Structures are given as structure tokens and as C-alpha cells.
Amino acid sequence: MHEMSIAQSLIEIIQEEMARNQAKTLRSVRLHVGEMSAIVPDSLSFCFEVITAGTDMEGARLMMDIIPLEGRCLSCGEAFRIKDYVFLCPFCGGSEVETVSGQELSIVEIEVE
Ligand SMILES: [Zn+2]
């Protein structure tokens, strides 16, 4: 389950951030999880709970915004939503498509006390 190591590294980042702000309690964390980031949100939630149990981060809320997969066609420059992982431009049929969003995993907000 690779969510365990992802949760672990998220927690390390959060801990550094809390130390920098001299925060004692973690209330919530908001993540942007790309549709194509290969992360199962439920699984990540579970791992987060397991790792934070018994620590001063226990009970913190993990919120996840799922970011849709979007691409841009390199031939005509149009941006579009990629559905079912079909990397084809709906405007000109071009197959050279760069991913604009949907692969990220980032912490966008940490609420501490
Ligand atoms: Zn195109």
C-alpha cells in the first residue's frame, strides 16, 4: 500500500511546518489530490489516521479536493478535460497532449493551534 509512505511523508512536511510556526495541535489539513495521482483517497485517510493515532496530530481532519485531469493540445493549444485517460485532443484530434493538472499531490492548507 503506497499510501502509507505518502501519508508518512505528508506528515513529515506537516510536522516541519508546525515546528516552524510553533504550533501544538493540528486541526486539519487540506490536500489537492490529482485524479491521476494514483492515490486512493480513502486509503490515504486511513493511513493518515493510523500514523497520527496517539500523537499530537491525532484527530486532525484530512480533507481532499480531487483535481480533475486536464490536458492541453500541443498542436492547437486548446485545453480540455481528459476523460477515461484518453489523451486525444477533442478539437483537432491531435495526440500530443501535455498534462496541465490532475497529477499533483500537494498540501494547500494546514490549520493549527
Ligand atoms: Zn488540438
Side-chain angles (χ1 to χ4, degrees):
M1 183 155 48
H2 78 140
E3 277 83 2
M4 196 53 97
S5 57
I6 293 167
Q8 190 65 56
S9 42
L10 285 175
I11 285 163
E12 280 164 21
I13 297 168
I14 295 165
Q15 277 169 338
E16 279 174 27
E17 199 58 38
M18 285 175 73
R20 196 174 313 153
N21 293 293
Q22 296 177 329
K24 298 260 181 294
T25 313
L26 179 67
R27 294 181 63 89
S28 65
V29 184
R30 182 180 292 276
L31 304 177
H32 276 180
V33 179
E35 202 175 39
M36 211 179 79
S37 62
I39 289 162
V40 180
D42 283 351
S43 179
L44 185 60
S45 267
F46 173 77
C47 295
F48 185 84
E49 270 177 40
V50 168
I51 299 173
T52 56
T55 72
D56 50 8
M57 295 169 126
E58 184 170 7
R61 259 185 346 129
L62 186 63
M63 297 175 285
M64 284 174 264
D65 296 332
I66 308 300
I67 306 302
L69 186 58
E70 282 179 12
R72 186 166 40 231
C73 173
L74 295 179
S75 310
C76 71
E78 293 284 352
F80 53 93
R81 173 86 195 267
I82 298 169
K83 291 197 191 83
D84 303 323
Y85 304 112
V86 177
F87 289 81
L88 267 185
C89 174
F91 298 95
C92 73
S95 59
E96 282 189 80
V97 175
E98 65 171 355
T99 308
V100 177
S101 67
Q103 291 179 305
E104 62 270 71
L105 173 68
S106 48
I107 298 173
V108 287
E109 199 179 278
I110 299 176
E111 197 191 340
V112 292
E113 264 178 9

Short mmCIF file of all heavy atoms in Angstrom, two decimals, residues 70-106:
data_model
loop_
_atom_site.label_atom_id
_atom_site.label_comp_id
_atom_site.label_asym_id
_atom_site.label_seq_id
_atom_site.Cartn_x
_atom_site.Cartn_y
_atom_site.Cartn_z
N GLU A 70 -6.59 17.45 -16.56
CA GLU A 70 -6.75 18.35 -17.70
C GLU A 70 -5.49 18.36 -18.54
O GLU A 70 -4.38 18.27 -18.01
CB GLU A 70 -7.06 19.77 -17.23
CG GLU A 70 -8.51 19.91 -16.81
CD GLU A 70 -8.86 21.29 -16.31
OE1 GLU A 70 -8.06 22.22 -16.50
OE2 GLU A 70 -9.95 21.43 -15.74
N GLY A 71 -5.69 18.47 -19.83
CA GLY A 71 -4.55 18.48 -20.72
C GLY A 71 -4.63 19.65 -21.69
O GLY A 71 -5.66 20.34 -21.79
N ARG A 72 -3.53 19.89 -22.37
CA ARG A 72 -3.52 20.90 -23.41
C ARG A 72 -2.88 20.29 -24.64
O ARG A 72 -1.86 19.63 -24.57
CB ARG A 72 -2.75 22.14 -22.97
CG ARG A 72 -2.84 23.28 -24.01
CD ARG A 72 -2.38 24.62 -23.48
NE ARG A 72 -1.21 24.49 -22.65
CZ ARG A 72 -1.08 25.00 -21.43
NH1 ARG A 72 -2.04 25.71 -20.92
NH2 ARG A 72 0.02 24.84 -20.74
N CYS A 73 -3.53 20.57 -25.76
CA CYS A 73 -3.05 20.01 -27.02
C CYS A 73 -1.85 20.82 -27.51
O CYS A 73 -1.88 22.05 -27.54
CB CYS A 73 -4.19 20.08 -28.04
SG CYS A 73 -3.67 19.60 -29.68
N LEU A 74 -0.80 20.12 -27.87
CA LEU A 74 0.40 20.82 -28.33
C LEU A 74 0.27 21.28 -29.79
O LEU A 74 1.03 22.12 -30.25
CB LEU A 74 1.63 19.91 -28.18
CG LEU A 74 2.01 19.54 -26.74
CD1 LEU A 74 3.21 18.63 -26.71
CD2 LEU A 74 2.24 20.78 -25.88
N SER A 75 -0.72 20.73 -30.49
CA SER A 75 -0.91 21.14 -31.88
C SER A 75 -1.74 22.40 -32.00
O SER A 75 -1.35 23.36 -32.67
CB SER A 75 -1.60 20.02 -32.69
OG SER A 75 -0.93 18.81 -32.49
N CYS A 76 -2.91 22.43 -31.31
CA CYS A 76 -3.79 23.59 -31.48
C CYS A 76 -3.86 24.47 -30.24
O CYS A 76 -4.44 25.55 -30.27
CB CYS A 76 -5.20 23.13 -31.90
SG CYS A 76 -6.11 22.30 -30.58
N GLY A 77 -3.28 24.01 -29.13
CA GLY A 77 -3.21 24.86 -27.94
C GLY A 77 -4.46 24.87 -27.08
O GLY A 77 -4.51 25.56 -26.07
N GLU A 78 -5.48 24.11 -27.46
CA GLU A 78 -6.71 24.09 -26.67
C GLU A 78 -6.52 23.25 -25.39
O GLU A 78 -5.81 22.24 -25.41
CB GLU A 78 -7.86 23.46 -27.49
CG GLU A 78 -8.30 24.28 -28.69
CD GLU A 78 -9.16 25.49 -28.29
OE1 GLU A 78 -9.54 25.61 -27.12
OE2 GLU A 78 -9.44 26.30 -29.19
N ALA A 79 -7.16 23.70 -24.32
CA ALA A 79 -7.13 22.93 -23.07
C ALA A 79 -8.46 22.20 -22.93
O ALA A 79 -9.49 22.70 -23.36
CB ALA A 79 -6.92 23.86 -21.88
N PHE A 80 -8.42 21.05 -22.34
CA PHE A 80 -9.64 20.26 -22.21
C PHE A 80 -9.49 19.26 -21.08
O PHE A 80 -8.40 18.93 -20.64
CB PHE A 80 -9.96 19.53 -23.52
CG PHE A 80 -8.80 18.71 -24.04
CD1 PHE A 80 -8.66 17.38 -23.71
CD2 PHE A 80 -7.83 19.31 -24.85
CE1 PHE A 80 -7.58 16.65 -24.17
CE2 PHE A 80 -6.75 18.58 -25.32
CZ PHE A 80 -6.62 17.24 -24.98
N ARG A 81 -10.64 18.76 -20.63
CA ARG A 81 -10.71 17.75 -19.59
C ARG A 81 -10.42 16.40 -20.23
O ARG A 81 -11.02 16.06 -21.25
CB ARG A 81 -12.13 17.78 -19.01
CG ARG A 81 -12.46 16.71 -18.02
CD ARG A 81 -12.03 17.10 -16.63
NE ARG A 81 -12.05 15.93 -15.77
CZ ARG A 81 -13.08 15.57 -15.02
NH1 ARG A 81 -14.17 16.29 -15.03
NH2 ARG A 81 -13.02 14.48 -14.27
N ILE A 82 -9.52 15.65 -19.63
CA ILE A 82 -9.21 14.33 -20.16
C ILE A 82 -10.10 13.30 -19.46
O ILE A 82 -10.10 13.20 -18.24
CB ILE A 82 -7.72 13.97 -19.93
CG1 ILE A 82 -6.83 14.96 -20.69
CG2 ILE A 82 -7.43 12.53 -20.36
CD1 ILE A 82 -5.36 14.87 -20.34
N LYS A 83 -10.87 12.59 -20.24
CA LYS A 83 -11.77 11.59 -19.68
C LYS A 83 -11.29 10.19 -20.03
O LYS A 83 -10.85 9.95 -21.15
CB LYS A 83 -13.19 11.78 -20.22
CG LYS A 83 -13.85 13.05 -19.72
CD LYS A 83 -15.37 12.98 -19.94
CE LYS A 83 -16.01 14.33 -19.69
NZ LYS A 83 -15.94 15.22 -20.87
N ASP A 84 -11.40 9.31 -19.06
CA ASP A 84 -11.03 7.91 -19.24
C ASP A 84 -9.60 7.74 -19.78
O ASP A 84 -9.32 6.79 -20.51
CB ASP A 84 -12.03 7.21 -20.19
CG ASP A 84 -13.45 7.31 -19.66
OD1 ASP A 84 -13.62 7.23 -18.43
OD2 ASP A 84 -14.37 7.50 -20.48
N TYR A 85 -8.76 8.67 -19.41
CA TYR A 85 -7.35 8.60 -19.79
C TYR A 85 -7.13 8.55 -21.30
O TYR A 85 -6.19 7.93 -21.80
CB TYR A 85 -6.65 7.42 -19.10
CG TYR A 85 -6.79 7.49 -17.61
CD1 TYR A 85 -7.56 6.55 -16.93
CD2 TYR A 85 -6.19 8.51 -16.89
CE1 TYR A 85 -7.73 6.65 -15.55
CE2 TYR A 85 -6.35 8.61 -15.52
CZ TYR A 85 -7.12 7.67 -14.85
OH TYR A 85 -7.28 7.77 -13.50
N VAL A 86 -8.02 9.17 -22.04
CA VAL A 86 -7.85 9.25 -23.48
C VAL A 86 -7.12 10.56 -23.80
O VAL A 86 -7.70 11.64 -23.68
CB VAL A 86 -9.21 9.20 -24.23
CG1 VAL A 86 -9.00 9.35 -25.73
CG2 VAL A 86 -9.93 7.89 -23.91
N PHE A 87 -5.87 10.43 -24.15
CA PHE A 87 -5.04 11.61 -24.40
C PHE A 87 -5.12 12.01 -25.87
O PHE A 87 -4.16 11.91 -26.62
CB PHE A 87 -3.60 11.37 -23.97
CG PHE A 87 -3.45 11.32 -22.48
CD1 PHE A 87 -3.76 10.16 -21.77
CD2 PHE A 87 -3.05 12.44 -21.77
CE1 PHE A 87 -3.64 10.12 -20.39
CE2 PHE A 87 -2.92 12.42 -20.38
CZ PHE A 87 -3.23 11.25 -19.69
N LEU A 88 -6.33 12.44 -26.26
CA LEU A 88 -6.55 12.86 -27.63
C LEU A 88 -7.27 14.19 -27.60
O LEU A 88 -8.21 14.38 -26.84
CB LEU A 88 -7.45 11.85 -28.36
CG LEU A 88 -6.79 10.71 -29.16
CD1 LEU A 88 -7.87 9.93 -29.90
CD2 LEU A 88 -5.72 11.22 -30.12
N CYS A 89 -6.83 15.11 -28.43
CA CYS A 89 -7.45 16.43 -28.45
C CYS A 89 -8.84 16.35 -29.09
O CYS A 89 -8.97 15.88 -30.22
CB CYS A 89 -6.57 17.40 -29.24
SG CYS A 89 -7.34 19.01 -29.46
N PRO A 90 -9.88 16.81 -28.36
CA PRO A 90 -11.24 16.75 -28.92
C PRO A 90 -11.46 17.82 -30.00
O PRO A 90 -12.46 17.80 -30.71
CB PRO A 90 -12.14 16.99 -27.71
CG PRO A 90 -11.30 17.71 -26.73
CD PRO A 90 -9.87 17.32 -26.99
N PHE A 91 -10.54 18.76 -30.11
CA PHE A 91 -10.70 19.85 -31.07
C PHE A 91 -10.10 19.52 -32.42
O PHE A 91 -10.72 19.71 -33.46
CB PHE A 91 -10.11 21.14 -30.52
CG PHE A 91 -10.79 21.59 -29.25
CD1 PHE A 91 -10.28 21.25 -28.01
CD2 PHE A 91 -11.97 22.34 -29.31
CE1 PHE A 91 -10.92 21.65 -26.83
CE2 PHE A 91 -12.62 22.75 -28.15
CZ PHE A 91 -12.09 22.40 -26.92
N CYS A 92 -8.85 19.01 -32.40
CA CYS A 92 -8.21 18.74 -33.68
C CYS A 92 -7.80 17.27 -33.84
O CYS A 92 -7.30 16.88 -34.88
CB CYS A 92 -6.98 19.65 -33.85
SG CYS A 92 -5.59 19.16 -32.81
N GLY A 93 -8.01 16.49 -32.78
CA GLY A 93 -7.66 15.07 -32.88
C GLY A 93 -6.19 14.77 -32.66
O GLY A 93 -5.75 13.64 -32.79
N GLY A 94 -5.44 15.81 -32.29
CA GLY A 94 -4.01 15.63 -32.06
C GLY A 94 -3.75 14.72 -30.87
O GLY A 94 -4.53 14.67 -29.93
N SER A 95 -2.66 14.00 -30.93
CA SER A 95 -2.36 13.08 -29.84
C SER A 95 -1.19 13.54 -28.98
O SER A 95 -0.77 12.86 -28.05
CB SER A 95 -2.08 11.67 -30.39
OG SER A 95 -0.98 11.74 -31.26
N GLU A 96 -0.65 14.71 -29.30
CA GLU A 96 0.41 15.25 -28.45
C GLU A 96 -0.23 16.17 -27.43
O GLU A 96 -0.54 17.33 -27.70
CB GLU A 96 1.44 16.00 -29.28
CG GLU A 96 2.39 15.05 -29.99
CD GLU A 96 3.54 15.80 -30.63
OE1 GLU A 96 4.47 16.14 -29.89
OE2 GLU A 96 3.46 16.06 -31.84
N VAL A 97 -0.42 15.61 -26.25
CA VAL A 97 -1.16 16.32 -25.22
C VAL A 97 -0.29 16.41 -23.97
O VAL A 97 0.26 15.41 -23.53
CB VAL A 97 -2.46 15.56 -24.90
CG1 VAL A 97 -3.19 16.20 -23.73
CG2 VAL A 97 -3.37 15.51 -26.12
N GLU A 98 -0.15 17.61 -23.44
CA GLU A 98 0.58 17.72 -22.18
C GLU A 98 -0.42 17.82 -21.04
O GLU A 98 -1.49 18.41 -21.19
CB GLU A 98 1.53 18.92 -22.18
CG GLU A 98 0.82 20.26 -22.28
CD GLU A 98 1.76 21.44 -22.05
OE1 GLU A 98 2.93 21.21 -21.74
OE2 GLU A 98 1.29 22.58 -22.21
N THR A 99 -0.05 17.25 -19.91
CA THR A 99 -0.94 17.27 -18.75
C THR A 99 -0.79 18.60 -18.03
O THR A 99 0.32 19.02 -17.71
CB THR A 99 -0.59 16.11 -17.80
OG1 THR A 99 -0.58 14.92 -18.56
CG2 THR A 99 -1.61 15.99 -16.70
N VAL A 100 -1.90 19.28 -17.81
CA VAL A 100 -1.87 20.58 -17.14
C VAL A 100 -2.11 20.41 -15.64
O VAL A 100 -1.47 21.03 -14.82
CB VAL A 100 -2.95 21.52 -17.74
CG1 VAL A 100 -2.98 22.85 -17.00
CG2 VAL A 100 -2.70 21.72 -19.22
N SER A 101 -3.07 19.56 -15.30
CA SER A 101 -3.33 19.29 -13.89
C SER A 101 -3.93 17.91 -13.75
O SER A 101 -4.36 17.31 -14.73
CB SER A 101 -4.29 20.33 -13.31
OG SER A 101 -5.56 20.17 -13.90
N GLY A 102 -3.93 17.42 -12.52
CA GLY A 102 -4.52 16.11 -12.28
C GLY A 102 -3.52 15.07 -11.83
O GLY A 102 -3.86 13.94 -11.54
N GLN A 103 -2.25 15.47 -11.76
CA GLN A 103 -1.24 14.52 -11.31
C GLN A 103 -0.64 14.92 -9.97
O GLN A 103 0.22 14.24 -9.45
CB GLN A 103 -0.10 14.44 -12.35
CG GLN A 103 -0.51 13.80 -13.64
CD GLN A 103 0.63 13.78 -14.64
OE1 GLN A 103 1.22 14.81 -14.95
NE2 GLN A 103 0.95 12.60 -15.14
N GLU A 104 -1.10 16.06 -9.45
CA GLU A 104 -0.47 16.61 -8.27
C GLU A 104 -0.92 15.94 -6.98
O GLU A 104 -1.99 15.37 -6.89
CB GLU A 104 -0.75 18.12 -8.18
CG GLU A 104 -2.21 18.50 -8.05
CD GLU A 104 -2.89 18.71 -9.40
OE1 GLU A 104 -3.09 17.71 -10.10
OE2 GLU A 104 -3.20 19.87 -9.73
N LEU A 105 -0.06 16.06 -6.02
CA LEU A 105 -0.44 15.80 -4.65
C LEU A 105 0.21 16.91 -3.86
O LEU A 105 1.43 16.98 -3.77
CB LEU A 105 0.05 14.44 -4.15
CG LEU A 105 -0.20 14.23 -2.65
CD1 LEU A 105 -1.68 14.11 -2.35
CD2 LEU A 105 0.54 13.05 -2.11
N SER A 106 -0.60 17.82 -3.34
CA SER A 106 0.01 18.91 -2.61
C SER A 106 -0.80 19.31 -1.40
O SER A 106 -2.02 19.14 -1.36
CB SER A 106 0.23 20.11 -3.54
OG SER A 106 -0.95 20.37 -4.26
#
